[in-house]
Amino acid sequence: MKAFMDADFLLRTDTAKKLYHQFAADMPIYDFHCHVRVDEISRNTVYENITQVWLYGDHYKWRAMRLCGIDERLITGDAKDYEKFLAYARVMPLLIGNPVYHWTHLELKTYFDISTPLDEASAPGIWERTKKKLLSGFGVRNMILQSRVTKICSTDDPLDNLEHHLALKKDTDFPVQVLPTFRPDKGLEIAKDTFVPWVAGLAKVCGTSIANYADFLDCLDRRIDFFDSCGCLISDHGMESMLYAQSSKDEVDTIFRKALAGGTLSLLEEAKYKTALLLHLAARYHQLGWVMQLHMGAMRGNNRIMKDTLGPDTGFDSVNDQQVAVQLSRFLDQANDAGLPKTILYTLNPKDNYVLGSMMGNFPQASQGSHESFGSHVQFGCAWWFNDHIDGMTEQLKIFANLGVLPRFVGMLTDSRSFLSYTRHDYFRRILCNFFGELVENGEYPANLESLGRMVQDISYNNALAFIGKE
């Protein structure tokens, strides 16, 4: 019997162990998609206790606690931090097979040198040990630096003034690049009640009025230029469903004006607007050499009562099952006319893994010229959200290898709000090394350790650096 989560955790073959320990373990991290608070990096926030690190904003943990019957007061309510931690500790032994169990213990080991399994009995001691370490000055920047992170791409609304990014850019004492990501979801979701207020906010930020679609595009382009001047390299779009419908400029302007006036749009009108705007944005991203990320397949805010009480992104989202293949193909093909930006496709529904895995091969290079010579112009992104567990990651690697060129994969990201989540890169690297190791041990690939090691290092870090960087 193997020891609990020891140095060879998830590494089932000798080849896997060599690849991980000799090549993967000490690679730096490029976390090109996350939701951390940049103001906390700028201030170098020091948390008072482990609850503030773990349970303030982590919908993965909240969801697990609810499924175990924990009262909401001990999750997002007014209970004291220690009470919330004890509630989480009681839940922990029940999470057998859940990635949250592994992430929790990787974080305890990596940042606090604690190997004791967390449960109700061990909780008081772990609380004290972690609290002592945190209050010793172990702040956000220490967590980032200890994790060997070199670059972080946050997720930012176009209305954001990026003041904390600009402050960090001037901070010569902190060597990690913290770059913004352009996330204009509220401007795309024309049928939601957030749209009109968001357009008003955009007009205010730009110091102008927005009366029509042309005004709107002008303001968005100005914000894109501002983000670019602040070092932005990536955009991100959360697509609940992939829509595609052709239209004229006059049609889109009419639809835009109707929405501003409070009118109700048909599904076809919504599709025409979203298609036109996303095509415009894709062309701008291509001009600037940005990467476009499309996150597809989430069905958000399913529990209306809890969404109204706690807000979005609080643990009441699930997998969507709408079709994406035809719409996605038509969108990418249309965008390719003006120059398709480097693109990463993510799906929350594993039924679409083969759709995205095969789609990337249709656009190996941009039709209007590329900003780089990396190849794999469209990427099948890593296993995301409900899929970032052992089975989900392994399946994504298998499909990528079956349908594409796996050594060109841009690898893992945290997609997290926690500064301790960098261990997810380690989790992924162990799974990657085990995947390669099993191919070698099964005689399906030669035991060329140096060649395999380069592949592991490229997928762990180098490919993201090459793919996202500008010439």
Side-chain angles (χ1 to χ4, degrees), residues 292-427:
M292 176 174 66
Q293 297 178 105
L294 298 179
H295 284 86
M296 295 168 282
M299 188 161 58
R300 301 177 185 274
N302 297 277
N303 187 327
R304 189 178 66 258
I305 293 175
M306 294 305 293
K307 181 185 177 183
D308 291 345
T309 302
L310 300 177
D313 304 319
T314 51
F316 300 96
D317 306 326
S318 58
V319 175
N320 204 329
D321 64 353
Q322 294 191 12
Q323 300 300 311
V324 302
V326 174
Q327 293 87 343
L328 178 61
S329 172
R330 290 176 179 171
F331 167 74
L332 294 174
D333 186 50
Q334 185 71 31
N336 202 36
D337 288 345
L340 182 68
K342 295 173 288 185
T343 301
I344 306 177
L345 307 173
Y346 307 85
T347 179
L348 199 58
N349 194 328
K351 78 173 178 61
D352 294 322
N353 280 346
Y354 273 92
V355 172
L356 303 195
S358 60
M359 192 69 70
M360 66 178 173
N362 297 331
F363 304 94
Q365 295 178 336
S367 63
Q368 300 298 316
S370 174
H371 289 273
E372 35 59 45
S373 57
F374 181 80
S376 298
H377 195 76
V378 174
Q379 283 269 338
F380 175 24
C382 65
W384 169 47
W385 195 348
F386 288 113
N387 301 305
D388 54 4
H389 41 70
I390 297 170
D391 291 339
M393 291 186 197
T394 302
E395 182 67 12
Q396 191 269 352
L397 291 171
K398 286 181 179 179
I399 292 172
F400 200 121
N402 282 332
L403 303 179
V405 181
L406 185 56
R408 287 297 195 182
F409 177 33
V410 295
M412 188 58 178
L413 42 83
T414 63
D415 190 32
S416 175
R417 291 163 175 77
S418 171
F419 290 99
L420 296 186
S421 291
Y422 300 115
T423 53
R424 295 184 192 178
H425 284 264
D426 181 69
Y427 197 53

Side-chain angles (χ1 to χ4, degrees), residues 190-192 195-196 255-265:
I190 192 170
K192 292 190 175 181
F195 179 74
V196 173
I255 294 166
F256 182 83
R257 291 171 183 265
K258 181 178 178 180
L260 279 191
T264 301
L265 303 182

Side-chain angles (χ1 to χ4, degrees), residues 147-164:
S147 304
R148 300 180 302 280
V149 179
T150 64
K151 294 177 184 290
I152 297 171
C153 295
S154 57
T155 302
D156 309 277
D157 191 284
L159 275 57
D160 197 310
N161 62 17
L162 303 183
E163 60 176 313
H164 300 294

Side-chain angles (χ1 to χ4, degrees), residues 33-70:
H33 177 67
C34 66
H35 299 276
V36 295
R37 289 181 52 177
V38 179
D39 62 315
E40 294 191 345
I41 303 176
S42 182
R43 293 194 304 266
N44 192 22
T45 297
V46 175
Y47 300 108
E48 296 176 359
N49 56 63
I50 192 67
T51 297
Q52 294 179 6
V53 184
W54 269 355
L55 299 175
Y56 280 25
D58 191 333
H59 57 81
Y60 283 90
K61 294 184 177 69
W62 293 350
R63 191 177 180 96
M65 293 171 77
R66 291 179 187 126
L67 289 172
C68 291
I70 300 297

